[in-house]
């Protein structure tokens, strides 16, 4: 193809002349039927014009001698001229309508799309794109033209141009929701095929349509959401961090900048008394990182007083009860294994019999808000003079239970149950003013090895070894019921 401006031979696919720099506009060929119609019309005009000229020459050569005949034929000649002029007007109008129809036809969307597809079928994508651009100038509301143009760029592996065309749909802001959804879908597909997940994240973060954003949620890395607004609180708060899709949240609690080496969020953060600045960011499954978000929390909680234990630490030779004074709104917990007491420890419900030997007690008050007090520690050593061993006390009890028929044998079988019963020493208990007893609990084994405590508590006098059962009098005081 040659440049219409300078005649320079153009290379295939070029739309600008290298010689003169003029833009080449590709005009589709006439349709055969329309071209034939125009050609026929123009031929008819030329024939009529030639006939008129011949008639004028003939009239001039005939001379004056035919003047009389001409005068006689005057009316007829005038009629022929009028008919000829009307015919010329009709032919001109037909030609004009035909050309106008053609001009309109070649500018229609359907025609340009058809021509573009014909060019594309021959892999003449530059010409196809030129047809689509020409049509879009006349029909700027036809998003289909831009979608097809983007497809042709994509087929040429010109991803940047394809994306730029699709962005024209998004940036216009007045196309239908369906067109916007398709444009976002095509752009994200192109980016995903190239592994450009960061561009997808930026595209979605700027998208005003929440419905479209939710469709591609997995590509988006939004800042973590905090379950509590920052501020001051008078209670322990279980702070939860959440993300918009699958991925990992990294955080710090001292205000420092979190990185991928920071703590990974897996469970609520319990914020107790103090000031915390929680900073966190999210990384989705595509490796896209969100911005860092920070929130500050000030927890002002009243710390309860430590438990008050009336009995001081020391060595004791008589059974003694350990009593602890409670605080309203708090629960007392304690341990005897040297571990720190927590809400998972044994709750204090009343005076505790002092255990034999040396025992370390730790008591703590925990408020309803979950705030612990300082720990109160006591160490007690209980030694009973002239007392029988606890193992002998258990043996004495079992022998007595066999004697009265409660047990069938020393192994703990009985007629009422299929399993076995066993007995374990618990503590020392003073009943009345001077009688000291070992308290022994009864346990049932159903054959699986799992022991369950029964509701019976037995007693054995620490000096005589006499067996009894724990009971209560009318005042609710402990009594020993001899068995």
């Amino acid at each position: 193809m040659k440049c219409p401006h300078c005649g320079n031979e153009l290379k295939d696919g070029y739309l600008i002349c290298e010689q003169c720099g003029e833009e080449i506009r590709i005009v589709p060929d006439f349709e055969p039927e329309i071209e034939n119609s125009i050609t026929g019309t123009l031929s008819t005009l030329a024939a009529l014009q030639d006939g008129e000229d011949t008639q004028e020459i003939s009239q001039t050569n005939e001379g004056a001698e035919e003047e009389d005949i001409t005068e006689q034929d005057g009316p007829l000649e005038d009629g022929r001229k009028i008919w000829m002029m009307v015919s010329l007007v009709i032919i001109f109008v037909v030609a004009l309508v035909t050309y106008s129809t053609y001009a309109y036809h070649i500018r229609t969307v359907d025609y340009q799309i058809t021509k573009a597809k014909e060019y594309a079928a021959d892999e003449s994508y530059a010409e196809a794109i030129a047809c689509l651009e020409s049509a879009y100038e006349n029909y700027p509301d036809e998003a289909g033209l831009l979608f097809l143009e983007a497809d042709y760029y994509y087929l040429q592996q010109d991803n940047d141009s394809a994306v730029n065309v699709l962005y024209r749909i998004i940036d216009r802001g007045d196309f239908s929701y369906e067109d916007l959804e398709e444009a976002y879908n095509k752009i994200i597909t192109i980016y995903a095929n190239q592994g450009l997940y960061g561009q997808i994240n930026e595209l979605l973060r700027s998208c005003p349509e929440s419905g479209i954003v939710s469709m591609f949620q997995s590509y988006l890395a939004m800042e973590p959401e905090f379950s509590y607004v920052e501020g001051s609180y008078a209670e322990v708060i279980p702070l939860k961090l959440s993300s918009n899709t699958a991925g990992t949240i990294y955080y710090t609690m001292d205000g420092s900048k979190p990185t991928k080496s920071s703590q990974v969020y897996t469970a609520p953060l319990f914020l107790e008394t103090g000031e915390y600045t929680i900073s966190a960011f999210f990384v989705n499954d595509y490796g896209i990182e969100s911005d860092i978000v920070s929130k500050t929390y000030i927890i002002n909680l009243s710390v309860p007083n430590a438990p008050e234990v009336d009995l001081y630490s020391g060595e004791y030779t008589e059974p003694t009860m350990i009593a602890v004074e409670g605080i309203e709104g708090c629960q007392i917990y304690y341990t005897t294994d040297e571990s720190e007491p927590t809400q998972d420890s044994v709750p204090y419900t009343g005076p505790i019999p002092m255990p034999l030997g040396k025992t370390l007690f730790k008591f703590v008050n925990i408020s309803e808000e979950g705030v612990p007090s300082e720990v109160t520690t006591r160490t007690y050593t209980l030694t009973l003079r002239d007392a029988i061993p606890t193992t002998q006390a258990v043996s004495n009890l079992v022998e007595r239970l066999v004697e009265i028929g409660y047990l069938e044998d020393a192994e703990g079988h009985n007629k009422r149950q299929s399993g076995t019963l066993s007995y374990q020493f618990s503590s020392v208990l003073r009943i009345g003013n001077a009688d000291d007893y070992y308290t022994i609990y009864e346990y049932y084994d159903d054959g699986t090895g799992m022991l369950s405590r029964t509701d019976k508590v037995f007693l054995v006098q620490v000096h005589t070894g006499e067996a009894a059962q724990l009971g209560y009098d009318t005042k609710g005081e402990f009594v020993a019921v001899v068995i």
Side-chain angles (χ1 to χ4, degrees):
M1 182 171 66
K2 293 185 178 182
C3 175
H5 303 285
C6 66
N8 179 48
E9 188 69 29
L10 299 177
K11 297 180 182 179
D12 290 342
Y14 278 65
L15 299 181
I16 297 178
C17 178
E18 295 178 312
Q19 183 73 24
C20 64
E22 292 292 335
E23 180 181 3
I24 308 303
R25 295 188 61 81
I26 298 174
V27 179
D29 296 333
F30 287 156
E31 296 290 348
E33 295 80 358
I34 298 177
E35 182 176 5
N36 292 337
S37 176
I38 295 175
T39 302
T41 301
L42 295 177
S43 297
T44 301
L45 286 172
L48 290 173
Q49 184 63 43
D50 290 342
E52 183 179 357
D53 293 342
T54 301
Q55 183 178 2
E56 289 177 356
I57 294 173
S58 175
Q59 289 176 348
T60 302
N61 292 334
E62 288 178 353
E65 67 274 10
E66 297 180 355
E67 184 175 349
D68 293 338
I69 298 175
T70 302
E71 291 177 356
Q72 294 176 2
D73 296 338
L76 177 61
E77 185 67 21
D78 290 341
R80 291 179 61 190
K81 288 183 178 180
I82 293 173
W83 177 87
M84 184 179 297
M85 292 179 62
V86 171
S87 299
L88 288 174
V89 171
I90 292 173
I91 292 172
F92 176 76
V93 171
V94 171
L96 181 62
V97 171
T98 301
Y99 179 78
S100 299
T101 302
Y102 167 75
Y104 173 78
H105 173 66
I106 65 173
R107 294 177 61 186
T108 61
V109 172
D110 292 340
Y111 179 85
Q112 293 291 1
I113 289 178
T114 300
K115 297 301 293 183
K117 289 182 178 179
E118 291 175 358
Y119 282 125
D122 296 331
E123 297 186 359
S124 299
Y125 294 114
E127 289 82 355
I129 290 171
C131 286
L132 296 173
E133 280 292 334
S134 176
Y136 187 70
E137 290 179 2
N138 297 313
Y139 300 93
D141 295 330
E142 293 292 336
L145 296 169
L146 296 180
F147 284 125
L148 193 56
E149 181 177 343
D151 290 343
Y152 290 156
Y153 276 122
Y154 183 74
L155 290 173
Q156 298 177 85
Q157 297 183 349
D158 188 352
N159 293 323
D160 290 342
S161 295
V163 169
N164 289 337
V165 171
L166 294 169
Y167 263 108
R168 289 162 65 182
I169 297 175
I170 293 175
D171 294 339
R172 269 276 299 271
D174 56 358
F175 282 111
S176 67
Y177 180 87
E178 290 73 17
D179 290 335
L180 286 176
E181 183 179 313
E182 184 177 354
Y184 276 98
N185 184 45
K186 286 180 177 292
I187 293 175
I188 290 173
T189 299
I190 293 173
Y191 281 155
N193 290 339
Q194 297 177 284
L196 302 177
Y197 300 112
Q199 282 86 331
I200 297 177
N201 182 65
E202 293 178 5
L203 173 65
L204 292 175
R205 288 176 67 88
S206 62
C207 177
E209 297 290 345
S210 59
I212 294 176
V213 173
S214 64
M215 289 176 58
F216 305 99
Q217 193 75 226
S218 61
Y219 291 107
L220 195 60
M222 298 294 290
E223 297 89 348
E225 293 186 0
F226 288 55
S227 60
Y228 287 83
V229 297
E230 61 182 342
S232 298
Y233 292 85
E235 60 181 343
V236 175
I237 62 173
L239 180 64
K240 296 179 181 179
L241 307 181
S242 58
S243 58
N244 64 293
T245 185
T248 305
I249 297 176
Y250 300 90
Y251 73 94
T252 60
M253 299 183 67
D254 57 1
S256 61
K257 181 179 179 180
T259 66
K260 289 184 178 180
S261 299
S262 301
Q263 187 74 25
V264 175
Y265 174 82
T266 57
L269 308 177
F270 287 90
L271 306 184
E272 300 178 352
T273 300
E275 182 174 341
Y276 305 84
T277 298
I278 312 298
S279 301
F281 72 102
F282 170 66
V283 181
N284 67 14
D285 286 344
Y286 296 98
I288 304 303
E289 300 180 10
S290 74
D291 294 333
I292 296 175
V293 59
S294 298
K295 294 185 183 296
T296 299
Y297 300 89
I298 300 174
I299 312 300
N300 295 314
L301 298 174
S302 57
V303 179
N305 295 328
E308 294 184 7
V309 183
D310 297 337
L311 196 63
Y312 291 102
S313 299
E315 296 183 358
Y316 294 82
T317 58
E318 295 181 353
T320 306
M321 302 297 288
I322 304 169
V324 184
E325 293 185 13
I327 299 176
E328 185 178 356
C330 293
Q331 173 63 54
I332 302 172
Y333 297 88
Y334 71 95
T335 61
T336 57
D337 60 359
E338 299 185 4
S339 64
E340 295 301 312
T342 65
Q343 288 178 312
D344 296 326
S345 301
V346 179
Y348 174 84
T349 58
I352 308 167
M354 183 182 295
L356 280 175
K358 185 176 182 179
T359 307
L360 174 64
F361 279 87
K362 290 186 177 182
F363 299 92
V364 67
N365 272 320
I366 298 182
S367 68
E368 294 177 347
E369 295 79 19
V371 181
S373 69
E374 293 185 2
V375 175
T376 299
T377 302
R378 293 286 188 272
T379 301
Y380 303 108
T381 303
L382 175 60
T383 304
L384 298 178
R385 299 173 182 174
D386 302 325
I388 63 174
T390 57
T391 54
Q392 183 179 340
V394 173
S395 296
N396 289 355
L397 174 63
V398 172
E399 289 178 3
R400 181 56 182 162
L401 293 177
V402 172
E403 287 178 4
I404 65 175
Y406 182 78
L407 297 177
E408 294 181 344
D409 51 40
E411 283 71 31
H413 295 94
N414 64 43
K415 297 178 181 179
R416 298 173 302 279
Q417 296 167 307
S418 59
T420 58
L421 296 170
S422 60
Y423 302 88
Q424 296 180 14
F425 164 76
S426 174
S427 60
V428 180
L429 180 64
R430 172 160 286 185
I431 296 178
N433 295 327
D435 286 338
D436 298 330
Y437 290 88
Y438 293 123
T439 58
I440 300 174
Y441 292 149
E442 181 182 69
Y443 294 88
Y444 175 69
D445 183 354
D446 61 1
T448 63
M450 295 294 295
L451 298 179
S452 57
R453 182 177 159 184
T454 71
D455 59 354
K456 289 188 168 110
V457 179
F458 293 96
L459 303 173
V460 173
Q461 221 282 340
V462 299
H463 299 291
T464 66
E466 182 181 16
Q469 186 173 349
L470 182 64
Y472 300 89
D473 60 16
T474 56
K475 297 180 180 180
E477 300 290 338
F478 292 134
V479 295
V481 181
V482 178
I483 55 177

